[in-house]
Amino acid sequence: MNEFKNGLKDGIPIALGYFAVSFSFGILAIKGGLSVFQAVFTSVTNVTSAGQFAGLQIIIAGGTILEVILTQLIINLRYGLMSLSLTQKLADDVGIWKRLIIAFANTDEIFAVAMGYFKEVTFPYMLGLQILPILGWGGGTFAGAVASGLLPKSVCSALSLALYGMFVAIVVPVAKKSKSVLFVVCVAALFSILLYYVPIFHFISTGISIVICTVAAAAIGAIVAPVKKKGEE
């Protein structure tokens, strides 16, 4: 129960941030022609910000199911890398079925908090960590869908910035404590800037760009500042 409570406590700020971001998704979904049920069902079965917003645009534009599938595959491919990394920190008693449950809501922010946990990650901790963010994401979507049309467009746009602020709040404290983490963060940011601003890389999609930055920064970090095993100098 202590592990579950620790997870709940760590999940509170994520849930608050998710509520604000999904609120804007709910508004956009209703304006795009989806019902309140469809908007909420999309959120609670996906739990992915970039993927849902991209998928919503394809739906509104009348795209095909194949286009939606390919878009989600590219944008959410990074979750596979995160899940592989998270398995290295999971407790030994976390079997395949428990890992499948954890994988459902292994989002960017939840992954970052889990990896920054001071000891190995247990199944109860992950359940506690993920419950409130899932409720916050679904609840924010419902609130936004119901309030659709009541708020000005400028407010909706401002709400979407909450996700970035939340991400910074998660990464900065860990980076301040570890020079290795700070180095990897800077390398990832540098690669992201290059892929975004250098013209020859403009053909690379956002989803693929995230994967490239993640793999490159992690590989360089592993070479420059490898995690030493117990007993090594």
Side-chain angles (χ1 to χ4, degrees):
M1 285 302 297
N2 286 334
E3 286 289 288
F4 182 76
K5 291 178 180 178
N6 289 338
L8 282 177
K9 182 180 67 175
D10 292 344
I12 291 175
I14 301 177
L16 295 175
Y18 278 6
F19 186 92
V21 177
S22 61
F23 189 94
S24 60
F25 173 79
I27 293 176
L28 294 175
I30 297 301
K31 290 184 176 180
L34 274 67
S35 66
V36 175
F37 172 78
Q38 289 172 330
V40 175
F41 186 76
T42 299
S43 285
V44 297
T45 55
N46 285 269
V47 196
T48 168
S49 58
Q52 286 184 209
F53 280 101
L56 179 62
Q57 295 304 315
I58 296 176
I59 292 173
I60 294 175
T64 65
I65 295 179
L66 180 60
E67 289 176 316
V68 174
I69 293 174
L70 291 177
T71 301
Q72 298 307 305
L73 176 63
I74 294 173
I75 293 178
N76 296 324
L77 190 60
R78 68 189 187 279
Y79 292 134
L81 300 175
M82 294 177 188
S83 295
L84 287 173
S85 179
L86 183 60
T87 58
Q88 307 303 307
K89 195 176 175 73
L90 292 176
D92 294 335
D93 62 345
V94 181
I96 181 64
W97 291 109
K98 293 180 179 179
R99 296 188 181 201
L100 290 174
I101 294 174
I102 292 173
F104 169 71
N106 185 29
T107 63
D108 305 75
E109 296 77 22
I110 290 174
F111 167 77
V113 171
M115 293 301 292
Y117 193 48
F118 65 94
K119 58 181 180 179
E120 67 177 7
V121 175
T122 63
F123 184 63
Y125 175 80
M126 287 302 300
L127 284 182
L129 180 62
Q130 293 178 328
I131 285 177
L132 292 182
I134 293 174
L135 293 177
W137 189 253
T141 302
F142 175 77
V146 173
S148 178
L150 300 179
L151 297 177
K153 186 178 294 185
S154 58
V155 175
C156 298
S157 299
L159 287 172
S160 64
L161 295 177
L163 185 65
Y164 300 102
M166 177 180 54
F167 220 171
V168 171
I170 290 174
V171 173
V172 169
V174 181
K176 289 173 65 177
K177 296 179 181 178
S178 173
K179 292 183 179 179
S180 300
V181 174
L182 178 61
F183 172 75
V184 173
V185 170
C186 292
V187 171
L190 177 60
F191 277 112
S192 181
I193 292 172
L194 289 175
L195 293 177
Y196 185 83
Y197 287 104
V198 177
I200 60 174
F201 297 126
H202 284 177
F203 69 93
I204 301 177
S205 66
T206 302
I208 294 297
S209 175
I210 293 174
V211 173
I212 292 174
C213 294
T214 302
V215 173
I220 294 175
I223 295 173
V224 176
V227 176
K228 296 180 181 180
K229 298 180 180 180
K230 295 180 180 180
E232 291 183 346
E233 292 293 333

